Amino acid sequence: MISTPALVAPSAGAPFEARTVEHRDLRDDDVLIDVKFAGICHSDIHQVREEWGSAHFPMVPGHEIAGVVSAVGDGVTKYKVGDRVGVGCMVDSCGECEFCKNGEEQFCSKGAVMTYNGKGYDGEPTKGGYAQQVVVSERFAVAIPDGIELDVAAPLLCAGITVYSPLKRWGAGPGKKVAVIGLGGLGHMAVKLAAAMGAEVSVLSRTDAKKEDGLALGATSYHATGEDGVLDSLKSSFDLIINTVSADLPMQAYIGLLRPLGVIANVGLPSGNYDFAPGAVVGRSRVVAGSNIGGIPATAEMLEFCAEHGIGATIEKISADEVDAAYDRVVAGDVRYRFVIDTATIAS
């Protein structure tokens, strides 16, 4: 077994503890990664606090992982020691179903193995990136181009691909008007990516508090939706809306912001149901869509796009002893725009 220092949540909502955890010995197709940085995704908080149902404890969260390959299995051909790689939300899939063969491993018919709070096909619990090392199949490690520093690359492995997928699928680009609802960990990446794709980007946020940031990130306009009349003034304005928030929005009003044939793609998971009349979509052939993460090929494409355009996440780098406080700050919306853990600070 391979032992490594890690941050462990011993039970639901309990403070993190620095412990030593064990990973399997390398299989033929495995790579051992020295984790340098791990992003804090809001989904980490949901799972550590058991807000999405029962979870597996003790838990090592983290699916925004950036590091360096330090050892490889005998059959590995994709990477060598010293390569810079990232790991996102998945660490295994069957590799044989139609979805895996099409590079959409997140839809694996057998069920993709999640990076943490899951179980591998061998029945062993998975452990994430709040650690100094992880072991994954080479199929689920993605090369990080030299043009991106590892600390700002880490959040791209979840936040980046989560918003890149719907932007790419629904044709964000020159001549398209794209709105981003929410300017947080996901939203700030959506603004950067949509702007780099050539779209005209607007931010829709409750207040003007982040207006300066939104414009600096690449938006050409910013609208405080909490102000009277703002949503009415934006009717039929956008070709694509990326909804990054998990709030119970008045969906009917936001659908009304779409032009004919427009799409609102939802990547957040609110607690309530969306409520809108059929006529809101039928009359102008609008689409209300959901969007998951992307597969491994799309993640690699996204990283290359980011390197080409000089894009990384906007981060606050923290040490291991700041993670508990960082969780509370994320819930309070007090982060610009992604916390990233320097894993070297995890006590051995």
Side-chain angles (χ1 to χ4, degrees), residues 87-290:
V87 178
C89 300
M90 306 173 287
V91 290
D92 205 359
S93 71
C94 76
E96 299 174 353
C97 70
E98 60 175 310
F99 301 108
C100 288
K101 289 180 178 179
N102 287 334
E104 298 283 1
E105 298 89 351
Q106 70 273 27
F107 305 129
C108 175
S109 296
K110 187 176 180 180
V113 176
M114 296 296 102
T115 303
Y116 71 90
N117 192 28
K119 289 188 176 181
Y121 296 144
D122 58 3
E124 292 298 311
T126 55
K127 305 178 186 75
Y130 293 14
Q132 292 186 356
Q133 291 181 311
V134 295
V135 174
V136 301
S137 165
E138 66 173 328
R139 290 196 297 127
F140 287 85
V142 187
I144 295 176
D146 290 337
I148 315 173
E149 295 299 324
L150 292 179
D151 53 356
V152 299
L156 302 180
L157 276 299
C158 176
I161 186 58
T162 295
V163 294
Y164 181 85
S165 291
L167 287 169
K168 186 73 181 297
R169 177 182 180 187
W170 299 108
K176 297 289 187 178
K177 294 185 176 181
V178 174
V180 177
I181 303 175
L183 195 63
L186 292 172
H188 93 284
M189 286 306 311
V191 172
K192 289 186 178 188
L193 289 166
M197 291 174 177
E200 180 182 324
V201 185
S202 299
V203 174
L204 307 180
S205 187
R206 285 174 299 148
T207 71
D208 275 331
K210 298 178 181 178
K211 182 173 183 177
E212 187 176 331
D213 284 0
L215 298 177
L217 291 167
T220 56
S221 63
Y222 184 105
H223 305 278
T225 57
E227 296 180 1
D228 289 344
V230 168
L231 291 181
D232 285 339
S233 71
L234 295 172
K235 286 182 177 178
S236 300
S237 293
F238 305 111
D239 300 293
L240 173 63
I241 299 173
I242 305 295
N243 176 21
T244 72
V245 303
S246 293
D248 296 322
L249 295 177
M251 186 54 63
Q252 175 111 3
Y254 281 93
I255 291 170
L257 308 188
L258 294 171
R259 291 159 54 87
L261 304 176
V263 178
I264 180 166
N266 299 285
V267 298
L269 286 172
S271 57
N273 294 329
Y274 292 136
D275 186 14
F276 58 90
V281 292
V282 172
R284 296 199 169 197
S285 298
R286 294 158 167 158
V287 176
V288 177

Side-chain angles (χ1 to χ4, degrees), residues 2-6 19-23 33 131-134 346-348:
I2 297 169
S3 298
T4 188
R19 298 184 184 179
T20 297
V21 300
E22 292 188 333
H23 294 296
I33 300 168
Q132 292 186 356
Q133 291 181 311
V134 295
I346 300 174
S348 58

